[in-house]
Amino acid sequence: MIQRNVNLSRLKAGYLFPEIARRRREFAAAHPEDPARPETRVISLGVGNTTEPILPVTCAGLVDGARRLAGEATYSGYTDEGFLELREGVSRVCYHGGFSPDEIFISDGSKCDIGRLQLLFGAGVKAAVQDPSYPVYVDGSVLIGAAGGWTGAGYGGVSYLPCTPENSYFPDLAKLENDSLFYFCSPNNPTGAAATRPQLEALVAAALKKGCVVVFDAAYAEYIRDPALPKSIFEIEGSRECAIELNSFSKSAGFTGVRLGWTVVPKELKYAGGESLNADWNRVVGTIFNGASNIAQAGGIAALSPGGLAEIRELSDFYLGNAKRIRGALERKGVGCVGGDNSPYIWARFPGRDSWDVFAEILEKCRVLTTPGAGFGPSGQSFIRFSAFGHRRDVEEACARLETFL
Ligand code: PGU
């Protein structure tokens, strides 16, 4: 019989979010919702999944993209790294035109690129993550063989750099090992912390000194409201020699189900042997990815127009409004929180408690689904992540329940 990929057996359990969905189903089976009693309905502030409709300018782009496929003169097939107009638009809007189109690779979302990126470095790479962090960085490292088995406090071979209240959620860069691949997310999922310019300068300096590559996940950049905070690692001098940036239309334009993102791989970025990461990334995506949907890309072009950018602002403002309400409700209950101001996540602290227990208690008492901090790494223990993605009426109801029952 054929053998299983041994890396799969090293994964500790199910992927975090399906595991939460499973616990929700289990809870629902034991506590069925009664349509006559709205208070029995479970409200999800768990997975970060957008809920609000795509707005008109962006939607018109999607519709037009579909229509163009029905015309002989406007039809298009494979687009490889993406429509030139979209790559130029991303460079213009997000990087002041600082990248050539062949440094911007259009993807079907940043999660997919996080998985594919690992092919550049293979099983021999040393992976480092902010702890807590988006689970795909570590799970992807396990799948490619760059991490060992579960030790009880993380995966062997992965460097977990704690980001806690004690260090204001910015890791101690002295702990970053030479020649490693460092996944860094700002604004951060799950803590909501957005790194300052001096912090990112220190990050770039450390990466250059130690021969590391930073995979900078900017999926929540559009949630930054403080004008002093960088939206991209490429605002920092020297970053082109040490960083790759991932971004996405998911949380900005509401494209979680449409699927569209991009990855910037600067031409200056080189491996130890002097080879180009840009050329290799071109080779990898050319081989195992045939481009994002042309309809999604047409939507992306519309989202980057002045009207589309105003819609991105409107949507992110809406979710930030939810975040403010959730954080306010928790703080009125005396729960210490960070995040929610430049990010759609609120990171709430329950000192001395196990986060899966707090998760279960909130579900039981308030019928509100959250995400336990321990699911994001050892330093997430005793924290709960609240997502601000939800309809306003649901968020308001969830806040009222938290204030009443927590
Ligand atoms: N990067 C970060 C930091 C994320 O939090 C997410 C989504 C993604 C990338 C994925 O973006 P796409 O462009 O849509 O692929 N995180 C959500 C959803 C859960 C999941 O499994 O992706 C979350 O709740 O953390």
Side-chain angles (χ1 to χ4, degrees):
M1 283 287 278
I2 198 159
Q3 295 291 317
R4 186 187 192 199
N5 176 350
V6 65
N7 299 325
L8 282 166
S9 62
R10 294 198 174 115
L11 286 171
K12 181 174 62 102
Y15 177 58
L16 177 62
F17 295 103
E19 172 63 19
I20 287 166
R22 193 188 63 73
R23 292 192 189 215
R24 178 189 182 155
R25 281 193 303 275
E26 221 173 71
F27 180 81
H31 307 85
E33 294 183 9
D34 176 356
R37 293 172 55 225
E39 71 276 14
T40 62
R41 186 172 62 95
V42 172
I43 297 173
S44 176
L45 303 180
V47 61
N49 197 1
T50 48
T51 54
E52 302 311 294
I54 291 172
L55 293 173
V57 172
T58 307
C59 185
L62 290 168
V63 171
D64 189 51
R67 206 173 277 129
R68 292 174 76 81
L69 293 177
E72 201 174 304
T74 50
Y75 175 80
S76 57
Y78 297 128
T79 64
D80 300 325
E81 302 86 16
F83 284 137
L84 182 61
E85 189 183 351
L86 180 56
R87 287 183 280 145
E88 286 174 345
V90 166
S91 179
R92 186 185 68 247
V93 171
C94 303
Y95 306 106
H96 304 290
F99 287 103
S100 61
D102 54 358
E103 294 173 297
I104 294 169
F105 298 81
I106 302 302
S107 72
D108 51 348
S110 30
K111 187 187 211 169
C112 320
D113 265 0
I114 295 164
R116 289 187 285 255
L117 263 176
Q118 316 236 357
L119 290 171
L120 291 178
F121 308 98
V125 76
K126 281 187 275 187
V129 291
Q130 289 163 291
D131 174 27
S133 67
Y134 181 44
V136 183
Y137 312 141
V138 170
D139 286 7
S141 304
V142 175
L143 284 174
I144 200 149
W150 182 251
T151 65
Y155 286 99
V158 174
S159 279
Y160 292 83
L161 273 52
C163 295
T164 59
E166 289 67 40
N167 60 16
S168 304
Y169 300 99
F170 187 77
D172 176 3
L173 295 170
K175 297 207 170 92
L176 183 62
E177 285 182 46
N178 287 346
D179 313 326
S180 50
L181 183 64
F182 186 22
Y183 294 91
F184 192 97
C185 178
S186 178
N188 189 265
N189 174 17
T191 68
T196 64
R197 188 170 297 275
Q199 287 174 335
L200 291 187
E201 283 168 356
L203 173 65
V204 167
L208 289 172
K209 187 169 145 229
K210 297 177 184 225
C212 298
V213 166
V214 176
V215 173
F216 190 83
D217 190 337
Y220 301 99
E222 288 309 319
Y223 286 81
I224 290 182
R225 289 294 175 272
D226 178 347
L229 295 171
K231 285 187 167 184
S232 163
I233 188 75
F234 296 120
E235 292 182 34
I236 309 300
E237 215 182 302
S239 54
R240 285 174 189 246
E241 283 83 37
C242 66
I244 291 170
E245 181 163 297
L246 301 156
N247 208 325
S248 168
F249 288 90
S250 284
K251 308 298 165 68
S252 55
F255 275 22
T256 42
V258 176
R259 309 305 305 147
L260 190 69
W262 71 88
T263 292
V264 185
V265 187
K267 288 189 183 146
E268 291 89 335
L269 195 56
K270 299 280 159 50
Y271 299 101
E275 310 90 336
S276 157
L277 271 81
N278 177 282
D280 271 4
W281 185 237
N282 204 330
R283 179 74 172 87
V284 167
V285 290
T287 306
I288 61 160
F289 177 58
N290 252 345
S293 144
N294 295 358
I295 299 172
Q297 293 191 64
I301 292 168
L304 294 176
S305 70
L309 292 172
E311 293 180 345
I312 286 178
R313 185 78 184 190
E314 187 180 329
L315 279 173
S316 48
D317 272 344
F318 174 84
Y319 293 123
L320 285 168
N322 284 349
K324 198 171 177 177
R325 285 166 171 77
I326 297 165
R327 185 166 166 172
L330 290 166
E331 286 180 339
R332 281 191 292 279
K333 294 296 284 187
V335 178
C337 296
V338 289
D341 35 10
N342 294 289
S343 126
Y345 297 121
I346 295 102
W347 190 235
R349 195 176 194 187
F350 295 83
R353 302 280 314 274
D354 175 84
S355 50
W356 281 103
D357 288 350
V358 183
F359 162 86
E361 185 184 324
I362 296 174
L363 185 56
E364 187 108 1
K365 285 189 180 161
C366 310
R367 309 246 166 162
V368 171
L369 193 73
T370 59
T371 309
F376 297 96
S379 296
Q381 187 53 278
S382 301
F383 286 86
I384 289 286
R385 188 192 78 171
F386 289 82
S387 153
F389 295 105
H391 298 309
R392 182 57 53 81
R393 60 182 178 282
D394 289 341
V395 168
E396 283 177 343
E397 170 64 20
C399 288
R401 292 185 196 171
L402 290 168
E403 286 204 57
T404 312
F405 302 114
L406 199 62

